[in-house]
Amino acid sequence: MDALVLVSGRGSNLRAICRAIDDGRCEARIVGVVSDKRSAAGLGFAEARGIPTRVVPLEKGDDRDQWNVELGDQVASLNPELVVLAGFMRILGPPFLERFPGRIINVHPALLPSFPGHNGPKDAIKGGVRISGCTVHIVDDGVDTGPIIAQAAVPVLPDDTPETLHARIQVQEHRLLPEVIHRITLGEIELDPLKIKAAYADPSKFLSVPNV
Ligand code: GRF
């Protein structure tokens, strides 16, 4: 499975995917890392590993549709079979999404559909939930609304800050995301939103990956 990773920040999920590939836990090849931010640490990591990188910045006042087209051009030039959003902090629009239908997944630091958006761990603490976690889902044109592929849970502890909770969630992200990519490669997970929705009706076919 040729996968491309979109990052905006430190890229710990990108590193986790690469670690899993190196360890033989994830059958995939990272064909490129693309970012909207030149400063994204994930880019430096990718370069050091010899992975092609591209930057498509989005500045204030830029035309969003045009940015989506340019991002799509850069991603398409690397020929990925799968596009993985791992800490990519921009909302993708139809000009991008329509070029990679059913081939884009995202990892989110909350148990969707609760707490979508930029502050998953903070919102979970504010919401008073005792269990949170991470979700890997197909990307659609909403904010963290696409069909859920897999989830992993962590406890929310009484003294948690958004940072301590996020750190606990990330341990699970680093396990879950490479596992989902591996299962997509094996054909155990089909990125067909209709099939995933249908699987919800039959728990025996549910595509969640339990906690270890
Ligand atoms: C992760 O928690 C992911 O769920 C969210 O952004 C964070 C990115 O972390 N979408 P990193 O850049 O992979 O370390």
Side-chain angles (χ1 to χ4, degrees):
M1 171 70 55
D2 283 351
L4 180 140
V5 184
L6 288 177
V7 298
S8 296
R10 91 194 119 166
S12 70
N13 278 286
L14 167 68
R15 287 165 210 258
I17 295 166
C18 289
R19 242 187 343 262
I21 291 172
D22 294 346
D23 294 353
R25 287 179 286 117
C26 179
E27 221 173 290
R29 192 164 69 102
I30 305 298
V31 293
V33 172
V34 179
S35 181
D36 59 319
K37 291 211 161 36
R38 287 180 210 291
S39 58
L43 287 173
F45 169 78
E47 274 154 23
R49 217 181 137 95
I51 299 171
T53 60
R54 309 268 193 278
V55 181
V56 187
L58 177 64
E59 310 294 351
K60 234 182 171 175
D62 282 357
D63 182 312
R64 270 202 168 250
D65 279 353
Q66 188 52 35
W67 175 77
N68 272 277
V69 169
E70 280 165 27
L71 186 71
D73 287 345
Q74 292 299 335
V75 169
S77 74
L78 295 160
N79 283 320
E81 295 167 277
L82 178 72
V83 178
V84 180
L85 274 58
F88 190 66
M89 303 311 273
R90 302 285 185 180
I91 295 161
L92 296 167
F96 183 90
L97 299 174
E98 284 162 8
R99 289 174 76 164
F100 309 97
R103 288 197 282 145
I104 312 174
I105 63 172
N106 178 45
V107 60
H108 179 75
L111 293 178
L112 294 172
S114 295
F115 313 121
H118 280 332
N119 295 313
K122 188 174 173 193
D123 292 344
I125 290 173
K126 260 205 240 158
V129 295
R130 303 272 51 103
I131 293 174
S132 188
C134 60
T135 303
V136 180
H137 66 95
I138 295 181
V139 174
D140 64 10
D141 59 0
V143 178
D144 303 320
T145 48
I148 293 167
I149 299 169
Q151 295 184 308
V154 304
V156 181
L157 302 178
D159 294 335
D160 264 337
T161 63
E163 291 72 31
T164 58
L165 176 58
H166 195 185
R168 192 174 309 118
I169 290 170
Q170 284 221 291
V171 173
Q172 294 304 319
E173 292 184 341
H174 297 163
R175 183 185 64 83
L176 191 65
L177 185 57
E179 180 159 357
V180 166
I181 295 169
H182 184 58
R183 287 184 181 217
I184 292 170
T185 301
L186 296 183
E188 288 177 18
I189 295 174
E190 278 186 80
L191 294 183
D192 176 340
L194 292 178
K195 286 193 184 147
I196 289 181
K197 289 245 177 220
Y200 293 165
D202 179 354
S204 70
K205 294 201 182 113
F206 194 65
L207 296 168
S208 79
V209 180
N211 279 346
V212 280

